[in-house]
Amino acid sequence: MFVGDMEWNQEIRDKMNDAVNQAFEENGIVITKDADSRLTVDPYDFFIHINGVDEELAKRIEAALNQGKNGYYLYEHIAFCDPVNYGVEEPLQYISGDKEKMVVYHFVNRLTGYDIRELETGMESFILPMEKICGKC
């Protein structure tokens, strides 16, 4: 089962790489082979960021990649491929502490529409800002 899952993950990763390369080609984006660039996905808004390239190129790359649900799909793939899911030690690029926070954030946001990161905390509860409760306050 493990080998089959890993092969499937690699197949999906290859397709994602093809899609990224196609987006780069369509937008005239070239990253040199010696560039030490890294794509990351924000777990809250699923925005794809790039580091290791100049600011102008980063803006172009982010604009090309952050179309539709690309960030969501990339994040889901990265989370699914986490080796810890297969009983292997988690690599440094995976931050396990943030996974739980992300799950709570999306759960609360989906049910209430609130961004839990913006809410104040009280004794054992969250306090909703008055303008969130009463749009005219």
Side-chain angles (χ1 to χ4, degrees):
M1 185 70 159
F2 176 76
V3 173
D5 288 342
M6 295 306 287
E7 289 173 351
W8 182 82
N9 289 344
Q10 186 59 52
E11 181 180 333
I12 298 301
R13 184 173 296 119
D14 290 344
K15 289 178 182 179
M16 292 181 123
N17 286 340
D18 291 345
V20 167
N21 289 329
Q22 181 179 349
F24 285 179
E25 186 177 322
E26 290 172 357
N27 289 279
I29 296 170
V30 177
I31 300 176
T32 61
K33 293 201 183 291
D34 63 336
D36 188 19
S37 59
R38 178 183 208 148
L39 290 175
T40 58
V41 183
D42 185 295
Y44 301 104
D45 63 8
F46 303 116
F47 191 87
I48 301 170
H49 300 274
I50 186 160
N51 298 315
V53 298
D54 67 71
E55 189 175 334
E56 183 59 36
L57 182 56
K59 287 180 183 178
R60 291 179 52 221
I61 291 170
E62 289 172 0
L65 296 180
N66 284 297
Q67 302 292 320
K69 290 188 165 194
N70 287 346
Y72 172 79
Y73 295 131
L74 180 57
Y75 185 85
E76 286 292 308
H77 175 68
I78 292 168
F80 185 79
C81 290
D82 185 345
V84 81
N85 296 335
Y86 304 99
V88 178
E89 185 176 337
E90 191 167 47
L92 292 176
Q93 66 261 40
Y94 287 90
I95 303 170
S96 60
D98 286 350
K99 290 177 189 173
E100 291 80 13
K101 290 178 188 177
M102 184 271 305
V103 168
V104 170
Y105 165 82
H106 286 289
F107 180 75
V108 169
N109 186 264
R110 191 171 33 256
L111 292 178
T112 69
Y114 294 117
D115 183 336
I116 197 168
R117 299 169 299 169
E118 296 175 0
L119 301 177
E120 294 179 44
T121 55
M123 297 296 267
E124 293 181 8
S125 60
F126 288 101
I127 302 168
L128 299 177
M130 191 53 102
E131 64 270 8
K132 295 274 188 178
I133 297 169
C134 174
K136 298 177 185 177
C137 299

